[in-house]
């Protein structure tokens, strides 16, 4: 099955919220229908929907689904019940700030819209749909700005990425893979190298799947092969996504990103972080303050349902790490590409 368009919908609303089930790719393309806010919280937690911008969009729809479930006409009671829904959605995943950003935008809309509860509900749906649509435009702008920042030579680049910061991780087009898509469109790309991305293999499963959909040449490597590939001169640029960027430009992304930044520095390979401004948390001065999600150790000790390690071993499973700003060549946003220290110039322009 090949999807024909560059921007296939990842999340959309038609009576219910529909999501591509990312836990089943690449072997099965299936769409999940979600009609309750509780189910949306589960979908985010279990990574049916994942990737920072995508979980923001999903959570925004989750708030709307909650608004549909609350039966009272009393506005104050409605708002306090909606806050409980918001809290349940906030509790799903702690690192990606887009989740909190989108929920806050929904809650602010609920608080500030004048009118009855019946008038509020459609406004909340419109807001979730706006967040969804804006994210696609944002990613296209990131892709095009990123393209301009790519090294001028060679003419066709070999680009390494980590995890999946693609259409699947956003509302469409992707951030790091947005840069890939724009580079492919303009004939600036020779090949994508996709780190497999242990433990959940988003690179091997999702990034590779997206590239195959569009005929973009892709080579999957294990995470531990990246330094070797750089030493052999096989990589011209690294572009990754982010889950939360602090005001000083330190960037949290999928575990293993920090290692990649260190080895890119050691081999003089430019290292870019591509992310929308909704991923920047200007309230945090540096990356040490970013909460890092720890996930079930099962993700580390078993693969495809088969246990790899002996019983009695202990495990540590942080889902993200923080790359210091000093290792980042530039941050690619929808407003342009900046040095990490220059990110604060965009603070006033952050929507929400
Ligand atoms: O745990 P995941 O799969 O949600 O982690 C996703 C990432 O780390 C992505 O790189 C990040 O969210 C950016 S997505 C555009």
């Amino acid at each position: 099955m090949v999807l024909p368009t560059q921007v296939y919908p990842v999340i959309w609303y038609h009576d219910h919220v529909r999501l591509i089930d990312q836990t089943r790719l690449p072997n099965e393309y299936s769409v999940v229908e979600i009609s309750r806010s509780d189910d949306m919280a589960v979908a985010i937690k279990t990574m049916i929907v994942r990737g920072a911008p995508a979980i923001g969009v999903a959570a925004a729809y989750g708030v709307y689904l909650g608004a549909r479930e609350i039966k009272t006409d009393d506005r104050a009671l409605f708002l306090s019940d909606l806050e409980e829904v918001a809290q349940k959605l906030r509790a799903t995943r702690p690192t990606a700030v887009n989740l909190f950003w989108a929920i806050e935008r929904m809650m602010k809309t609920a608080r500030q819209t004048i009118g009855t509860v019946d008038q509020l509900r459609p406004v909340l749906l419109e807001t979730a749909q706006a967040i969804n649509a804006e994210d696609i435009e944002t990613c296209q702008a990131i892709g095009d700005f990123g393209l301009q920042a790519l090294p001028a030579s060679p003419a066709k680049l070999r680009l390494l990425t980590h995890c999946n910061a693609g259409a699947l991780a956003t509302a469409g087009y992707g951030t790091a893979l947005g840069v890939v898509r724009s580079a492919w469109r303009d004939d600036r790309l020779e090949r994508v190298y996709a780190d497999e991305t242990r433990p959940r293999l988003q690179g091997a499963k999702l990034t590779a799947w997206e590239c195959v959909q569009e005929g973009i040449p892709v080579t999957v490597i294990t995470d531990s092969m990246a330094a070797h590939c750089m030493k052999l001169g096989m990589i011209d640029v690294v572009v990754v996504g982010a889950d939360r960027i602090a005001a000083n430009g330190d960037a949290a992304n999928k575990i293993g990103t920090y290692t990649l930044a260190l080895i890119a520095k050691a081999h003089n390979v430019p290292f870019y972080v591509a992310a929308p401004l909704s991923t920047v948390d200007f309230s945090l001065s540096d990356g040490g303050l970013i909460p890092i999600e720890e996930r079930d150790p099962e993700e580390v000790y078993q693969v495809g349902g088969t246990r790899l390690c002996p019983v009695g071993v202990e495990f540590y499973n942080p889902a993200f790490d923080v790359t210091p700003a000093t290792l980042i060549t530039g941050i690619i946003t929808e407003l342009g590409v900046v040095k990490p220290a220059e990110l604060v110039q965009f603070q006033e322009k952050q929507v929400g």
Side-chain angles (χ1 to χ4, degrees):
M1 181 264 331
V2 173
L3 297 177
T5 61
Q6 276 202 323
V7 184
Y8 39 85
V10 176
I11 306 178
W12 66 103
Y13 180 83
H14 184 79
D15 299 331
H16 311 286
V17 184
R18 287 152 209 248
L19 304 168
I20 298 177
D21 185 343
Q22 300 192 37
T23 62
R24 293 181 180 270
L25 287 171
N27 297 324
E28 186 188 326
Y29 174 88
S30 65
V31 172
V32 180
E33 243 181 43
I34 297 188
S35 44
R36 297 187 50 79
S37 60
D38 275 352
D39 295 337
M40 186 60 89
V42 171
I44 296 171
K45 211 174 173 57
T46 58
M47 295 174 67
I48 286 172
V49 56
R50 47 136 308 273
I55 64 177
V57 174
Y61 281 121
V63 172
Y64 167 66
L65 294 177
R68 278 202 323 200
E69 289 153 21
I70 301 167
K71 295 299 174 215
T72 181
D73 289 333
D74 180 309
R75 195 186 148 98
L77 194 56
F78 173 83
L79 287 177
S80 88
D81 285 359
L82 198 63
E83 178 49 39
E84 275 179 34
V85 171
Q87 205 37 46
K88 176 181 63 190
L89 290 161
R90 285 187 197 107
T92 51
R93 297 197 70 190
T95 303
V97 77
N98 308 61
L99 178 85
F100 303 90
W101 170 87
I103 293 170
E104 189 42 38
R105 190 163 153 191
M106 293 294 287
M107 293 307 291
K108 207 162 142 188
T109 303
R111 288 190 298 266
Q112 292 179 353
T113 302
I114 296 164
T116 63
V117 169
D118 278 347
Q119 289 165 330
L120 257 180
R121 289 192 188 95
V123 176
L124 287 171
L125 176 57
E126 277 163 29
T127 307
Q129 287 174 317
I131 292 172
N132 196 352
E134 285 164 19
D135 190 61
I136 299 177
E137 283 172 25
T138 295
C139 287
Q140 286 169 328
I142 288 172
D144 289 352
F145 277 122
L147 172 64
Q148 291 164 30
L150 291 175
S153 84
K156 290 199 182 197
L157 297 161
R158 292 141 322 155
L159 183 153
L160 173 64
T161 191
H162 190 67
C163 192
N164 171 265
L168 292 166
T170 61
Y173 205 70
T175 57
L177 287 194
V179 179
V180 163
R181 285 189 165 87
S182 293
W184 180 246
R185 179 198 66 205
D186 285 14
D187 211 19
R188 288 288 336 268
L189 188 73
E190 181 176 317
R191 166 168 303 275
V192 170
Y193 282 87
D195 271 354
E196 66 170 354
T197 316
R198 280 277 289 153
R200 289 188 65 107
L201 307 176
Q202 291 94 328
K205 292 181 173 179
L206 306 177
T207 294
W209 182 80
E210 285 195 37
C211 289
V212 167
Q213 296 310 300
E214 286 165 41
I216 299 174
V218 57
T219 301
V220 174
I221 57 172
T222 67
D223 303 346
S224 53
M225 293 173 189
H228 175 74
C229 292
M230 285 186 201
K231 192 171 184 193
L232 294 183
M234 292 165 60
I235 309 295
D236 303 305
V237 63
V238 178
V239 185
V240 297
D243 286 80
R244 193 185 295 224
I245 304 176
N248 71 343
D250 293 348
N253 190 48
K254 180 53 54 196
I255 192 77
T257 304
Y258 176 31
T259 317
L260 201 54
L262 285 168
I263 59 176
K265 184 82 160 181
H267 293 88
N268 267 324
V269 174
F271 182 93
Y272 286 96
V273 172
L277 289 176
S278 54
T279 301
V280 184
D281 186 345
F282 287 107
S283 76
L284 302 184
S285 57
D286 65 79
L289 300 168
I290 298 174
I292 300 293
E293 175 181 10
E294 275 191 47
R295 294 188 61 87
D296 194 326
E298 187 183 272
E299 291 180 350
V300 175
Y301 69 66
Q302 75 178 26
V303 171
T306 303
R307 190 178 173 109
L308 301 173
C309 311
V311 175
V313 180
E314 290 185 13
F315 298 93
Y316 177 45
N317 187 17
F320 302 96
D321 57 25
V322 177
T323 299
T326 48
L327 297 177
I328 299 171
T329 311
I331 298 181
I332 305 166
T333 76
E334 67 271 35
L335 296 184
V337 184
V338 289
K339 297 257 169 246
E342 295 163 354
L343 200 55
V344 286
Q345 69 182 271
F346 292 145
Q347 184 161 6
E348 300 297 303
K349 303 209 167 114
Q350 199 177 42
V351 181

